[in-house]
Amino acid sequence: KVWKRGTSLDEAQVLFEADSTDRMALPIVERFGGRSYHLIVHVVSRYETNHFVLENGQLIRLDVPGDARIRPTKDQLVILLNSDWIIGEANYAQGTLLSIDYDDFLSGSRDFEVIFEPDERAHVNFFEAMENFLLVNMLHNARSELYRYRREDGRWTPERVAAPDYTSTYLASWDRSSGRFFFTFQGFLTPPTLGLARNDGTVVRVRHQPAFFEVESFIVMQHEATSRDGTKIPYFIVHHREMKRDGHNPTLLYGYGGYRTPMLPSYEPVVGTAWLERGGVYVLANIRGGGEFGPRWHQAALRENRQRAFDDFIAVAEDLIARDITSPKHLGIMGHSNGGLLVGAVFTQRPDLFNAVACLNPVLDLQDVRDDELGDADNPDDWAYMKKYSPYHNVSRDKAYPRVLFITGRTDDRVPPGDARKMAAKMEGMGYDVYFYESEEGGHGGAVSVEQRAFRNALIYSYLLNQLR
């Protein structure tokens, strides 16, 4: 509604109304100097959004793709594409960042400037408009890079904001008019740090969280594995500087591979104290299904192609073994939620590769799933491929499975505990030795207090050390 202060809400003009089946519709006002943009963002579904602008009392729908993200600036409209866009004679690739004069766009012009065009290893993660520049966060080979794009002589020119390598950067807060902004960065060996970027290009470290483990003894590296179909799969590895490549290092491989969620460097005190300082090697895999390399990386492992995510994870495990970093006796895997499905599918397919599986709040029985990401089990065509990797339907009596640790939560309303309960019971009925723990509260996260979280972590890392060391 258009509601003027001091008047009755009942008298306000209805401007837009969404259907009850839509996700949401929200108004946004963006101000740049003396100019204001009045927008309505209408989210129909996960991948379909309509954008409207109010101009001279008239609501105008912006002619942009339904899965694109937009931002107005002082005089430009900036568009990030999540799918290929053919408009006129131009063909703009998925992940391209475009710009056009706002008034010209409303007048019908489609003369776009390409700010950034992605490649196989780089894409725009997010962007924000300031008064005199764009802030663009990119992921390049799963590493964060933050850029200022200034508009000079009618073109956008990039300038990188200084941050350490192997870290993830996030925009925290900003003052649009002055151009100053706070951003945070963290990495495997870098505690979360708050930086202030000034308009002159300098960066000041304002403060940081304390370090919970000694980092000088460890090193971060990045390697690539080759998946079954030839795709290169990067992964991060954190280990002691004096690590011997003798195949005997207890190694924990973590992954997710879904919902366009990227697995990026982050500071994990528990990993540092409970694993790295006790001689462990930590590995984070950037498998398909995630958001590390933009929409295509995510879409490559949707529905009937979900097996690609599992193949990628297996490839990383095999690469760690081939490099003599570890061996099946000393290699364990861990995943939470969709990551629980990942490790569940992988250990049922390749039990020979692992000696520990921490399967946390997992999805394991896909016959109960109706999801845009995985498929609809009620649809016979979908179930035909889902049942091929559903862990509950593929566990069998004639395999040498590692001793699995299942953890779930009684109050988990995102992934109900039934999946872990049924899987553990089925494996026990087949004669396998498994561990099972179910928390009484804590929802999908599994804990509501420091004590509960400490107990849960103690279970996980005690199990991993006993199995792999």
Side-chain angles (χ1 to χ4, degrees):
K1 296 183 177 183
V2 178
W3 183 25
K4 293 186 179 181
R5 190 182 301 275
T7 65
S8 171
L9 180 59
D10 295 334
E11 299 173 0
Q13 173 194 353
V14 175
L15 195 63
F16 181 85
E17 188 172 359
D19 292 334
S20 60
T21 56
D22 296 340
R23 287 201 162 193
M24 63 178 172
L26 62 151
I28 298 175
V29 178
E30 300 275 18
R31 293 186 174 89
F32 295 88
R35 184 164 191 172
S36 296
Y37 298 92
H38 300 80
L39 305 167
I40 292 178
V41 179
H42 173 215
V43 183
V44 180
S45 63
R46 185 192 299 258
Y47 304 115
E48 183 182 359
T49 300
N50 299 318
H51 297 90
F52 298 87
V53 62
L54 185 63
E55 289 286 341
N56 300 318
Q58 181 181 2
L59 196 63
I60 302 171
R61 180 175 175 177
L62 297 179
D63 181 23
V64 296
D67 57 357
R69 285 183 272 174
I70 71 165
R71 282 286 188 280
T73 70
K74 186 163 54 177
D75 56 6
Q76 298 281 306
L77 181 66
V78 181
I79 304 170
L80 177 61
L81 300 179
N82 280 305
S83 58
D84 294 344
W85 192 22
I86 300 175
I87 185 166
E89 298 181 357
N91 187 355
Y92 300 106
Q94 180 186 59
T96 301
L97 189 64
L98 301 171
S99 175
I100 191 172
D101 181 274
Y102 176 82
D103 294 323
D104 290 348
F105 181 79
L106 291 188
S107 298
S109 172
R110 295 299 180 263
D111 185 18
F112 291 103
E113 174 190 349
V114 176
I115 303 175
F116 174 81
E117 192 168 15
D119 58 31
E120 291 184 355
R121 282 294 184 262
H123 82 285
V124 174
N125 193 29
F126 71 81
F127 67 100
E128 186 57 62
M130 306 288 279
E131 186 77 22
N132 296 307
F133 57 86
L134 286 176
L135 274 176
V136 181
N137 177 269
M138 295 182 190
L139 290 180
H140 186 268
N141 209 27
R143 304 184 194 181
S144 285
E145 297 176 353
L146 186 60
Y147 289 87
R148 289 184 185 91
Y149 274 80
R150 299 185 186 275
R151 193 153 182 81
E152 300 172 349
D153 300 324
R155 305 292 297 176
W156 292 102
T157 304
E159 169 195 11
R160 187 171 179 180
V161 178
D165 200 7
Y166 293 116
T167 59
S168 303
T169 58
Y170 303 92
L171 184 62
S173 182
W174 61 95
D175 177 23
R176 182 170 282 166
S177 59
S178 72
R180 298 195 309 167
F181 60 91
F182 286 109
F183 69 103
T184 63
F185 57 89
Q186 63 174 302
F188 298 108
L189 306 178
T190 305
T193 302
L194 181 67
L196 172 63
R198 298 187 177 119
N199 204 23
D200 61 2
T202 60
V203 173
V204 178
R205 295 194 184 196
V206 180
R207 60 180 58 192
H208 59 81
Q209 291 185 13
F212 289 94
F213 62 98
E214 193 276 313
V215 301
E216 296 301 324
S217 300
F218 303 100
I219 189 172
V220 180
M221 301 183 70
Q222 194 175 29
H223 296 308
E224 283 188 342
T226 303
S227 193
R228 178 184 291 184
D229 62 2
T231 302
K232 299 296 182 181
I233 310 301
Y235 63 89
F236 295 100
I237 178 169
V238 190
H239 60 80
H240 198 280
R241 292 181 181 274
E242 305 300 324
M243 180 194 74
K244 296 180 180 179
R245 292 178 179 262
D246 57 6
H248 289 87
N249 299 293
T251 301
L252 174 59
L253 171 59
Y254 188 91
Y256 188 76
Y259 299 90
R260 203 178 165 183
T261 301
M263 293 290 100
L264 304 178
S266 63
Y267 188 74
E268 301 289 347
V270 174
V271 173
T273 57
W275 189 248
L276 293 175
E277 289 188 336
R278 294 172 181 265
V281 175
Y282 181 70
V283 180
L284 184 65
N286 302 119
I287 63 178
R288 283 174 288 186
E292 290 86 349
F293 301 123
R296 282 192 176 89
W297 197 250
H298 169 231
Q299 293 165 8
L302 290 179
R303 302 175 73 90
E304 68 272 16
N305 294 318
R306 198 56 159 203
Q307 182 61 41
R308 290 174 178 169
F310 311 143
D311 291 342
D312 294 353
F313 203 61
I314 290 169
V316 173
E318 292 176 330
D319 196 67
L320 292 167
I321 295 168
R323 292 176 186 272
D324 286 329
I325 293 169
T326 191
S327 59
K329 181 179 178 181
H330 301 288
L331 178 58
I333 54 177
M334 182 163 69
H336 178 266
S337 190
N338 176 74
L341 167 61
L342 168 69
V343 299
V346 166
F347 94 76
T348 54
Q349 294 178 16
R350 290 295 306 274
D352 58 301
L353 286 178
F354 315 107
N355 197 32
V357 180
C359 192
L360 316 178
N361 297 78
V363 179
L364 296 170
D365 179 2
L366 294 188
Q367 199 159 20
D368 292 331
V369 170
R370 291 146 197 87
D371 181 76
D372 292 340
E373 187 93 1
L374 300 171
D376 181 354
D378 290 336
N379 183 325
D381 292 335
D382 288 6
W383 178 239
Y385 63 76
M386 294 169 72
K387 68 180 180 181
K388 292 179 180 178
Y389 57 77
S390 176
Y392 183 76
H393 294 87
N394 286 281
V395 65
S396 60
R397 296 180 181 274
D398 57 349
K399 299 286 183 69
Y401 295 119
R403 181 183 293 168
V404 182
L405 168 64
F406 295 103
I407 291 185
T408 187
R410 196 162 303 170
T411 60
D412 190 341
D413 59 355
R414 186 172 303 177
V415 180
D419 280 45
R421 292 172 181 170
K422 289 191 297 183
M423 189 71 166
K426 187 173 185 178
M427 292 188 71
E428 281 190 333
M430 291 178 173
Y432 295 109
D433 190 12
V434 302
Y435 290 121
F436 179 88
Y437 172 71
E438 181 175 309
S439 62
E440 293 185 1
E441 56 184 352
H444 197 49
V448 296
S449 69
V450 173
E451 291 78 12
Q452 289 178 4
R453 189 166 297 279
F455 180 77
R456 178 183 168 104
N457 284 327
L459 283 179
I460 294 169
Y461 286 96
S462 296
Y463 158 76
L464 291 170
L465 287 169
N466 285 332
Q467 290 290 118
L468 303 178
R469 191 163 56 178

